[in-house]
Amino acid sequence: MSVTFRLPSNAGYNTLEGSIRRSMVLDGEPCLLLELRSTGTMFRRDASSLNEVVDDFDIRLSQVVVPRERFDALLRALRQWQTDQEEFSVDLDWRDATLTLEVAHRPDVGGDRWKPAFTLYYSCAQNRIEVTFLVDASCLLEWSEGLEQAVAVPN
């Protein structure tokens, strides 16, 4: 049984969801196989209705391998953010795929110390993805607690 974790955006328009599909050992290193999905909504771009919010994107990464040690570093960074609101960036790379999760101020997105930008950077030989949205303490706490629950469930 897998537990889903979730990071909602501050405004509620974007979400990162995921689950730990299984734990394993690759090349002698404990790893987790994650599934990640980022979705977003937006006001209609065709201007047919300026008040209607519609699906804007849905990105699914179905086989993200993350070294357990780096996953634990992400959990530590999230716990520390709850204490001091210091920006952080954690690389969760494995072999040819890079995954960086960042919580920091970005001038191109707005926000402030209390509403930083969450950014997911993912790249491999076939694609490059960047998703950014504003979060706050409650969003990051929900994500942190979900990640901790997901990793505590045997898989």
Side-chain angles (χ1 to χ4, degrees):
M1 179 184 150
S2 67
V3 175
T4 301
F5 49 84
R6 180 176 179 270
L7 173 61
S9 68
N10 175 258
Y13 294 118
N14 301 297
T15 303
L16 173 70
E17 296 176 314
S19 64
I20 298 173
R21 294 175 61 189
R22 71 176 182 267
S23 57
M24 61 199 153
V25 177
L26 296 172
D27 296 338
E29 185 171 358
C31 294
L32 301 171
L33 178 63
L34 306 182
E35 181 168 344
L36 299 175
R37 181 177 180 212
S38 184
T39 57
T41 57
M42 181 60 138
F43 294 103
R44 292 188 69 97
R45 288 193 173 96
D46 63 8
S48 61
S49 172
L50 298 178
N51 297 322
E52 185 181 1
V53 175
V54 297
D55 290 343
D56 192 44
F57 64 88
D58 189 338
I59 301 166
R60 181 174 167 248
L61 302 169
S62 58
Q63 56 171 348
V64 179
V65 175
V66 173
R68 177 60 196 256
E69 171 186 330
R70 302 306 304 150
F71 186 90
D72 292 343
L74 173 62
L75 289 175
R76 286 191 302 275
L78 282 165
R79 284 188 217 111
Q80 188 62 38
W81 191 93
Q82 293 293 332
T83 301
D84 60 18
Q85 291 73 49
E86 288 296 319
E87 299 180 349
F88 68 85
S89 180
V90 178
D91 294 322
L92 303 164
D93 305 348
W94 179 257
R95 292 189 184 155
D96 68 331
T98 63
L99 172 65
T100 301
L101 301 176
E102 180 179 277
V103 174
H105 175 71
R106 285 184 48 165
D108 60 326
V109 178
D112 57 37
R113 181 177 184 179
W114 309 111
K115 291 183 185 172
F118 162 78
T119 305
L120 175 149
Y121 302 97
Y122 179 82
S123 68
C124 65
Q126 296 82 11
N127 62 62
R128 296 189 193 306
I129 298 167
E130 178 180 328
V131 176
T132 301
F133 51 84
L134 294 178
V135 294
D136 62 23
S138 65
C139 303
L140 293 171
L141 182 60
E142 179 179 338
W143 190 34
S144 176
E145 289 174 346
L147 288 170
E148 288 174 355
Q149 290 173 0
V151 81
V153 172
N155 42 42

